[in-house]
Amino acid sequence: MTNIIIEIKDVNKYFGQLHVLKDINNVIETGEVVVVIGPSGSGKSTLLRCINRLEEITSGDIYFEGNKVNDPENDINLIRQKVGMVFQQFNLFPHKTALENIILAPIKVKGIREEEARKIALKLLEGVGLKDKADSYPAKLSGGQQQRVAITRALAMQPDVMLFDEPTSALDPEMVGDVLEVMKELATGGMTMMVVTMKLVLLKR
Amino acid sequence: MIFRWDIMFKSLPILGQGLIMTLQLTIISVFIGIILGTIFGLMRVSKNKVLYIISSAYVDFFRGTPLLVQIFLVYMGLPQLLGFPLDRFPAAIAALALNSGAYFAEIVRGGIQSIDKGQWEAARSVGMNYSQMMRYIILPQAFKKIIPPLGNEFIAMLKDSSLVAVISLEELLRKGQLIITRTFRPFEIYLAVAILYLILTTLISRFVSYTERRLDID
């Protein structure tokens, strides 16, 4: 029981009349890589976004490391620091360089010293093969590079779980490989991951 | 009827004093207006109902009533409530700043709401609270989008500041009127006043488009 990281209990979610999530139950253990597949509009992304409360659930409960995510009494920002998220559209901050994108939250949210944050960030960037792009603005990076920076941004918070929302759907086919490689390495390294995708090729990895 | 160039030129030093007053009025009012506009603009996008209602009432009132009425309300009306008279300059600044603050609030609101939803979510997903998200992610991007409308607002304020001539504050227009009472040459003087406004507004709009182009590069 101790290694359960995310618990989803009888979760229902409505968008108006639309019943998107119906009685979802699931448990994710530490180190697991869970892939959520299904046709578009089936609520995969919605489920993922409920885990860090970017969406509110209508009924049921979601626990992260024993803390109820959907309890307004709990500080959601503390939970979000432990839950990394990677978006389909990357959502890098366009007014900041790759490095600044990565170190912003560790410094401002976690309170890490700047030199320390830089060191961590550069090491992570090196890991995804983008150390030379540290001072580039997102607009100067390809989609695949942006997504790898976005993954690094999430990792820099040293999360306990990584949520991937269609991480390769917005990428050109030749860019997909680099991003998948990074994700594969993460999984091998023991990171708990939840990946929403429509691309079955991801599954094979 | 002869056009008296000499009277027009002789009026310039005094009109120049008025011009300086006009610039002071405009710059100070716009500066305070930007601060007010940022505060009220943030309140306009707030989920807090009370903040939203207060800011909406402010914006609606100052955008929905004539500036001339607002100037009278501040300069003539407020002293009745306060029990002491207001000096012309601070009264004029107050009216102009409150007015431009309402317009800026809408510009700021528009700028904030134009930022992609993904930016809000990305900021949220790394654990930022509302004020961190606004300060580091949303406002810096919004302000960049705000610069062109801000330039327009500055030009509008420069022209609208001529309205405070009605409370005898000696800005550009009022200086012109005073010269006319001595020279009886309204055409030359009003034309000079108009040309001076035109020079200022042209300079500002050039400066704004230059700034825009500079910001586009990076």
Side-chain angles (χ1 to χ4, degrees):
Chain A
M1 280 300 284
T2 49
N3 58 354
I4 290 177
I5 187 161
I6 294 171
E7 195 176 3
I8 300 167
K9 266 188 176 169
D10 305 321
V11 164
N12 282 279
K13 164 84 183 165
Y14 288 85
F15 283 123
Q17 289 294 308
L18 190 66
H19 197 174
V20 194
L21 302 178
K22 289 181 195 165
D23 295 320
I24 308 286
N25 281 284
N26 207 343
V27 163
I28 295 162
E29 292 178 12
T30 306
E32 245 186 324
V33 176
V34 177
V35 180
V36 188
I37 53 168
S40 74
S42 59
K44 309 179 299 291
S45 292
T46 305
L47 177 65
L48 202 70
R49 294 156 57 82
C50 285
I51 291 173
N52 66 352
R53 219 166 90 193
L54 286 181
E55 302 277 0
E56 300 279 351
I57 55 177
T58 312
S59 70
D61 288 310
I62 295 176
Y63 294 90
F64 173 77
E65 295 180 339
N67 299 308
K68 204 193 228 177
V69 174
N70 52 311
D71 183 350
E73 296 289 304
N74 281 339
D75 185 356
I76 187 64
N77 292 327
L78 287 177
I79 293 174
R80 282 176 179 151
Q81 290 176 37
K82 295 260 144 215
V83 181
M85 189 162 200
V86 175
F87 299 88
Q88 182 175 355
Q89 298 296 339
F90 330 132
N91 297 341
L92 288 179
F93 307 132
H95 59 304
K96 297 193 174 292
T97 64
L99 187 73
E100 288 165 352
N101 262 276
I102 300 165
I103 62 176
L104 180 69
I107 293 171
K108 301 296 182 189
V109 179
K110 265 182 128 180
I112 291 176
R113 288 209 331 278
E114 187 173 340
E115 314 124 63
E116 180 71 14
R118 275 174 178 276
K119 225 164 41 185
I120 297 171
L122 285 171
K123 206 171 152 210
L124 285 167
L125 272 177
E126 195 170 16
V128 299
L130 291 174
K131 198 176 179 185
D132 55 326
K133 300 286 182 191
D135 295 322
S136 300
Y137 282 90
K140 297 264 187 277
L141 300 175
S142 73
Q145 290 170 335
Q146 286 191 52
Q147 191 62 300
R148 281 182 279 159
V149 172
I151 293 172
T152 308
R153 177 176 68 184
L155 288 175
M157 291 297 284
Q158 293 162 321
D160 293 341
V161 62
M162 287 283 285
L163 308 177
F164 292 86
D165 187 4
E166 308 263 9
T168 59
S169 299
L171 296 178
D172 293 337
E174 62 266 32
M175 306 284 184
V176 173
D178 292 337
V179 171
L180 285 185
E181 200 54 44
V182 170
M183 290 171 64
K184 199 173 134 193
E185 265 171 47
L186 268 180
T188 321
M191 175 61 78
T192 313
M193 291 161 62
M194 194 165 171
V195 186
V196 160
T197 183
M198 288 191 310
K199 292 188 179 167
L200 288 169
V201 62
L202 272 179
L203 271 177
K204 283 193 248 161
R205 302 268 175 157
Chain B
M1 200 66 182
I2 308 157
F3 188 87
R4 293 279 303 273
W5 288 99
D6 58 320
I7 287 184
M8 202 170 156
F9 282 117
K10 256 193 264 168
S11 71
L12 284 180
I14 296 177
L15 288 182
Q17 295 168 11
L19 191 81
I20 289 167
M21 175 61 86
T22 288
L23 275 175
Q24 282 176 345
L25 277 173
T26 307
I27 292 168
I28 298 173
S29 303
V30 167
F31 181 74
I32 300 172
I34 290 173
I35 296 168
L36 287 175
T38 307
I39 296 169
F40 283 101
L42 280 167
M43 286 164 72
R44 286 275 274 178
V45 297
S46 162
K47 283 199 184 111
N48 185 317
K49 273 270 176 317
V50 178
L51 294 181
Y52 176 79
I53 289 169
I54 292 172
S55 57
S56 299
Y58 165 75
V59 169
D60 288 348
F61 181 83
F62 283 97
R63 295 202 334 156
T65 57
L67 177 55
L68 191 54
V69 175
Q70 293 162 19
I71 291 167
F72 282 133
L73 204 56
V74 171
Y75 183 62
M76 319 271 206
L78 269 190
Q80 184 195 324
L81 279 188
L82 298 170
F84 56 86
L86 289 174
D87 283 342
R88 292 192 176 93
F89 188 72
I93 293 281
L96 294 176
L98 282 168
N99 182 269
S100 80
Y103 284 91
F104 279 131
E106 281 301 89
I107 293 171
V108 170
R109 182 189 60 82
I112 290 172
Q113 287 177 340
S114 74
I115 303 302
D116 183 56
K117 205 170 140 257
Q119 292 292 310
W120 300 66
E121 295 186 342
R124 288 304 215 175
S125 75
V126 287
M128 286 189 204
N129 60 32
Y130 191 82
S131 80
Q132 289 168 333
M133 172 178 72
M134 279 295 167
R135 209 151 23 118
Y136 303 123
I137 307 303
I138 304 301
L139 285 180
Q141 294 185 63
F143 274 126
K144 204 169 153 181
K145 296 195 176 189
I146 283 169
I147 285 175
L150 195 130
N152 293 336
E153 192 49 37
F154 196 88
I155 291 170
M157 181 48 58
L158 186 90
K159 293 186 291 178
D160 288 350
S161 70
S162 62
L163 284 171
V164 300
V166 297
I167 60 171
S168 301
L169 188 69
E170 295 186 7
E171 42 67 76
L172 182 50
L173 176 62
R174 182 70 190 146
K175 281 286 191 203
Q177 290 174 331
L178 290 173
I179 296 171
I180 291 164
T181 59
R182 279 189 284 107
T183 59
F184 302 106
R185 304 298 295 194
F187 186 73
E188 286 89 343
I189 302 302
Y190 280 134
L191 188 64
V193 167
I195 290 170
L196 287 173
Y197 276 117
L198 183 63
I199 291 171
L200 280 184
T201 52
T202 308
L203 285 177
I204 295 167
S205 74
R206 286 282 158 80
F207 177 73
V208 170
S209 49
Y210 168 78
T211 319
E212 256 172 77
R213 261 179 283 126
R214 281 290 303 276
L215 280 173
D216 252 10
I217 293 165
D218 56 53

